[in-house]
Amino acid sequence: MIELSRSDGVWTVTLNRPDKANSLTAEMLGELVSIMRDAQSARAVILTGEGKVFSAGADLDAARAGLATSPLWEELSSAIADLPCMTLAALNGTLAGGAFGMALACDLRIAVPEAKFFYPVMKLGFLPQPSDPGRLAALVGPSRAKLILMGAQKIDADQALNIGLIDRVVGANDLMTDAKDLVAATVAAPEEVAQKIKEMCR
């Protein structure tokens, strides 16, 4: 349910459970953590999904069994954030719940026009993962972070672009082409220069 392809230094990681809105199980999260920890040699990592939803967050049955509060979510976002290479979330559709952490940890986020964004964790009686509110606030500001987390607002792609949650809106047919174009300059640059620029931007 997690697919990995490697080409010319670019690792493309695809959530492939479209019949379940790419909702994540503990096994899938563990596999994603392992891939991201192994990606130290990658020049760029692109994270995307199959179908019309990037990810609905935790699988409902798994969430009821405790996955909603699992440390695996934080391990995954930390593994992505710690990568020295360029990381990009190519959001093929809606981003919801715990799946926010993956996208927030990436350097760049692009999305299709149909994407929606919501993080209803408070309504379900849970706290967000520890690093998510800080990363969200760094992108959109504290008030808009509260709008999403405490106001439980669902926003569309244009709103997400306007507030800085995503960096570009791209047609579905162009999503992966645009993603590969965005990482191309980094992949072509001297590795130590690209890594140093990323460090300087933190």
Side-chain angles (χ1 to χ4, degrees):
M1 290 180 278
I2 305 295
E3 295 181 355
L4 171 63
S5 65
R6 303 179 181 93
S7 177
D8 299 324
V10 179
W11 290 33
T12 301
V13 182
T14 305
L15 310 180
N16 191 0
R17 199 188 182 204
D19 57 316
K20 297 291 186 180
N22 290 328
S23 60
L24 297 159
T25 64
E27 181 182 7
M28 292 169 71
L29 282 172
E31 188 174 351
L32 285 166
V33 170
S34 180
I35 289 170
M36 297 305 172
R37 288 178 175 167
D38 288 344
Q40 296 295 319
S41 61
R43 298 300 313 278
V45 172
I46 298 172
L47 185 60
T48 192
E50 282 291 332
K52 295 184 178 181
V53 176
F54 172 74
S55 178
D59 175 87
L60 287 178
D61 289 338
R64 294 187 189 102
L67 185 62
T69 56
S70 169
L72 283 169
W73 300 98
E74 188 70 12
E75 288 178 32
L76 175 56
S77 59
S78 295
I80 295 170
D82 289 344
L83 283 171
C85 66
M86 167 85 80
T87 55
L88 185 149
L91 303 169
N92 56 295
T94 291
L95 171 68
F100 251 81
M102 290 185 282
L104 292 172
C106 287
D107 299 314
L108 297 174
R109 286 150 296 280
I110 63 176
V112 298
E114 298 79 15
K116 301 290 189 293
F117 302 83
F118 58 103
Y119 199 153
V121 64
M122 188 182 70
K123 293 170 69 174
L124 300 173
F126 300 114
L127 290 172
Q129 295 305 312
S131 64
D132 287 1
R135 290 194 178 115
L136 181 60
L139 291 173
V140 306
S143 292
R144 286 173 175 143
K146 293 169 189 170
L147 184 75
I148 294 169
L149 292 172
M150 300 181 74
Q153 295 299 293
K154 181 183 290 188
I155 63 174
D156 62 26
D158 285 338
Q159 290 173 302
L161 179 64
N162 288 337
I163 67 175
L165 178 58
I166 61 175
D167 302 295
R168 187 174 290 177
V169 176
V170 184
N173 291 336
D174 300 319
L175 183 68
M176 292 310 296
T177 298
D178 203 69
K180 290 172 183 176
D181 285 347
L182 281 170
V183 303
T186 291
V187 171
E191 185 172 9
E192 64 277 9
V193 173
Q195 290 181 0
K196 185 62 176 178
I197 290 174
K198 177 167 176 171
E199 290 175 11
M200 292 170 74
C201 290
R202 283 177 173 158

